[in-house]
Amino acid sequence: MEYAGVIIRTLILYLVMMVIFRLMGKREIGELSILDLVVFIMIGEMAVLSIENPDIPIVKSILPMVLLMIIQIILALLSLKSQKFREVLDGKPSIIISQGKIDEHVMRKQRYNFDDLLSQLREKDILNIGEVEYAILEPSGQLSVIEKKQGEKQEKVSPFPLIIDGVIQEKSLSRLHKDEKWLLQQLNRQGYHSISQVSFCTCIDGKLYIDEQDSQ
C-alpha cells in the first residue's frame, strides 16, 4: 500500500505540474527568465518533497504550487501592460557589439568575458568577431547575432525597435542618429497622428515598419 500511495501521489503531482506549466505559458528553456527558472525549481522541489513525505496531505503541497502559478501569471500580465515593469522583472538586452565595435564597458557590467563571447559565437558558427555587426546579450543569457553583409545589396534593418507598446525608444533613435521629431514626421506621413496608435515600430532600409495597437 505504501508503494501504491507513492505512485498515486506521483501521478497526481505530475498532472498538476503539467497543468500549471501549461497555464503559465509556453516558453523554451533557453528563453526562461531568472524568475521563471526560480519558480519552476520551487514547484519541482515542492513536488519532490511531497512524494518523499507521504504523511503530508497532498493538498498542502498543491496549494503553494498553485499560489506560485497565480503570482507568475499576474506578473506576466503586468509585464504585458508596462515595458518598465517588464524590464525590472526580466531585465534588458545588453548590446555587446554595436556596428562591429565591442563594448567592453557593457561586458564588464554584465560580468561577461571574451571567452563567453567567443564560445557563444562559435555555437552560431561564427569564428571571426569581425563578421559581426551586432551582438545582443538577451535577458535569458542567449546571444543574438546579426552578421555583416558583404557584396550584394542588403536591406538595412535596425535590430532596435523605435516604439514598443506605444513608448518611444530614445536610445534606439540615437543609434540611428535620429530624433523624436523625425520619428513623428515619419509616422504622420503614414497617417499616424499619435504614438498611442502604434504598438511596435522598427526601421527597415530607412522606412518604418509599423504594427498598430489592437482596438480594445
Side-chain angles (χ1 to χ4, degrees):
M1 288 298 293
E2 181 181 347
Y3 291 110
V6 170
I7 292 171
I8 293 171
R9 291 172 74 90
T10 301
L11 291 175
I12 291 173
L13 289 167
Y14 174 78
L15 292 173
V16 169
M17 289 177 65
M18 286 291 291
V19 171
I20 287 174
F21 291 155
R22 287 297 298 272
L23 290 175
M24 286 171 61
K26 296 180 180 179
R27 299 181 72 175
E28 295 181 9
I29 294 299
E31 295 177 350
L32 294 178
S33 68
I34 294 175
L35 187 59
D36 292 329
L37 191 58
V38 169
V39 170
F40 285 3
I41 291 173
M42 287 180 67
I43 290 176
E45 286 292 328
M46 290 175 188
V48 171
L49 287 173
S50 179
I51 293 170
E52 291 180 344
N53 298 276
D55 294 334
I56 300 174
I58 195 166
V59 175
K60 288 188 176 180
S61 299
I62 293 175
L63 185 59
M65 293 166 66
V66 172
L67 180 59
L68 282 173
M69 177 197 71
I70 293 171
I71 292 172
Q72 191 73 349
I73 290 174
I74 291 172
L75 291 177
L77 292 173
L78 290 174
S79 70
L80 288 174
K81 298 291 184 180
S82 169
Q83 183 189 357
K84 288 185 177 181
F85 184 81
R86 187 161 59 243
E87 290 176 353
V88 171
L89 199 64
D90 295 333
K92 296 189 293 184
S94 300
I95 303 166
I96 303 299
I97 299 176
S98 177
Q99 296 179 327
K101 177 70 173 65
I102 298 172
D103 193 329
E104 295 180 27
H105 173 72
V106 172
M107 290 179 66
R108 286 193 293 269
K109 186 177 178 181
Q110 297 298 322
R111 293 177 291 281
Y112 185 82
N113 58 49
F114 279 98
D115 288 334
D116 296 328
L117 176 60
L118 293 172
S119 174
Q120 290 192 285
L121 288 176
R122 286 194 296 270
E123 289 175 0
K124 298 180 181 297
D125 297 324
I126 298 173
L127 303 179
N128 181 6
I129 292 181
E131 299 173 4
V132 179
E133 183 72 11
Y134 289 100
I136 304 166
L137 186 63
E138 306 293 352
S140 64
Q142 290 186 320
L143 189 70
S144 299
V145 177
I146 299 173
E147 298 181 56
K148 292 180 179 178
K149 301 297 182 181
Q150 299 177 349
E152 58 189 277
K153 183 181 182 297
Q154 299 286 334
E155 282 188 329
K156 296 179 180 179
V157 182
S158 169
F160 312 108
L162 303 181
I163 299 174
I164 299 177
D165 293 335
V167 178
I168 295 176
Q169 308 299 301
E170 299 288 351
K171 288 185 178 179
S172 297
L173 277 172
S174 65
R175 291 189 186 100
L176 293 177
H177 306 292
K178 304 293 184 182
D179 55 20
E180 186 175 331
K181 182 179 178 181
W182 172 85
L183 179 58
L184 293 174
Q185 288 175 344
Q186 297 298 314
L187 292 173
N188 280 327
R189 288 176 186 173
Q190 298 194 37
Y192 298 96
H193 304 293
S194 172
I195 294 294
S196 61
Q197 294 176 262
V198 181
S199 174
F200 179 85
C201 173
T202 191
C203 188
I204 301 176
D205 208 20
K207 298 179 181 178
L208 300 186
Y209 166 82
I210 297 171
D211 184 71
E212 297 180 9
Q213 290 276 14
D214 292 335
S215 57
Q216 300 296 325

